[in-house]
Amino acid sequence: MLPPSGDVAVVIPAWNESDRIAATVRAAAGLDGVGIVVVVDDGSGDGTAAAAEAAGASVMRHGRNRGKAAAMETGAEAVRRLEAGQDRPVPHHLLFLDGDLGETAGAAGPLAGPVRAGQADMTIAVFSNRVRQGGHGFVVGLSGSGIMRATGWRPAQPLNGQRCLTRAAFEAARPLAPGFGAETGLTIDLLRRGMRITEVEVPLAHRATGGDWRSQVHRGRQFLDVARALVARRAGLRGRRVR
């Protein structure tokens, strides 16, 4: 049995992505099965929200930057409200994409395939075209090894934010680990619940993190958020803030 048309909702958390968000939205809207595109402007100081809305997305705005996990949850709730307003509501799978994918977002379709077919509860993207990063892989290593210790499985790209999952899987993982720990916590929580995760190779590409001081600060925030997510799950404190 084929899945219903329009059963996928794209959620795009974005912060200061005015130069790429319109291309990302247009490409995502053209994916097979996509019926809703929501952009969550996470306290941007540029024209991200206006550009996303002009490109056809439903836009939610945070008054201040609240982090990746909060943007994901806001987007999922916005999808729920949009579903409720439809004449014939269709439950949507959630396809999370980064705001800086640009036109390459049009290649994200295979991520939804296993979920729409009932073969996986969540898919994680593996980029076939890897952009050289300015860092040294410390955060990726921390996340990957932490997931391995917690579940016995190590994803190829544990921090990849390009994921598709069922609504049931998303709800099972709430509350998400704060900030940049969202993906690490999401993977551990679903595997511990016996849910099926599949990696899918896709030719997506986003802006590489550079080597300047701002990028190093960004990496430091990532490291702390991932570490907190891992500590919380090791201590059985999922959903609570760890200092």
Side-chain angles (χ1 to χ4, degrees):
M1 181 177 177
L2 294 175
S5 177
D7 63 337
V8 177
V10 176
V11 176
I12 306 174
W15 181 66
N16 292 337
E17 295 290 356
S18 61
D19 59 337
R20 295 194 181 194
I21 191 65
T24 304
V25 167
R26 288 192 291 266
L31 294 172
D32 183 47
V34 169
I36 294 173
V37 178
V38 171
V39 170
V40 181
D41 180 358
D42 191 26
S44 296
D46 62 3
T48 294
E53 190 170 20
S58 297
V59 178
M60 303 296 295
R61 299 192 69 175
H62 289 167
R64 60 179 177 81
N65 184 259
R66 294 171 54 193
K68 181 71 174 290
M72 292 171 69
E73 295 206 20
T74 294
E77 186 57 32
V79 170
R80 188 194 301 278
R81 291 200 297 269
L82 290 169
E83 289 172 347
Q86 294 177 339
D87 292 334
R88 299 179 62 184
V90 175
H92 288 76
H93 305 305
L94 301 173
L95 174 58
F96 291 96
L97 299 177
D98 289 344
D100 63 354
L101 292 176
E103 294 178 354
T104 72
L111 281 171
V115 176
R116 297 182 74 201
Q119 298 167 349
D121 299 296
M122 181 171 77
T123 58
I124 303 174
V126 176
F127 286 3
S128 55
N129 301 320
R130 300 194 186 191
V131 178
R132 183 177 177 81
Q133 302 287 326
H136 305 284
F138 295 137
V139 187
V140 172
L142 175 67
S143 176
S145 61
I147 293 170
M148 178 69 184
R149 285 194 300 271
T151 70
W153 177 70
R154 182 167 186 152
Q157 294 181 11
L159 298 179
N160 203 311
Q162 285 38 248
R163 299 173 179 230
C164 186
L165 61 164
T166 65
R167 168 66 70 169
F170 185 80
E171 294 299 329
R174 294 185 67 186
L176 301 181
F180 295 109
E183 288 86 3
T184 301
L186 185 59
T187 301
I188 293 172
D189 294 341
L190 294 190
L191 286 173
R192 283 179 168 176
R193 284 165 173 72
M195 293 192 177
R196 303 159 299 166
I197 298 178
T198 299
E199 294 181 297
V200 179
E201 186 170 308
V202 285
L204 304 180
H206 56 62
R207 183 186 293 109
T209 305
D212 60 11
W213 69 268
R214 290 184 180 84
S215 300
Q216 297 302 335
V217 169
H218 172 76
R219 257 183 225 102
R221 289 178 60 193
Q222 281 186 311
F223 190 93
L224 288 174
D225 286 349
V226 169
R228 288 173 179 139
L230 292 172
V231 169
R233 280 145 186 81
R234 187 164 62 247
L237 300 173
R238 187 180 76 85
R240 293 175 57 186
R241 184 175 295 277
V242 177
R243 296 185 182 275

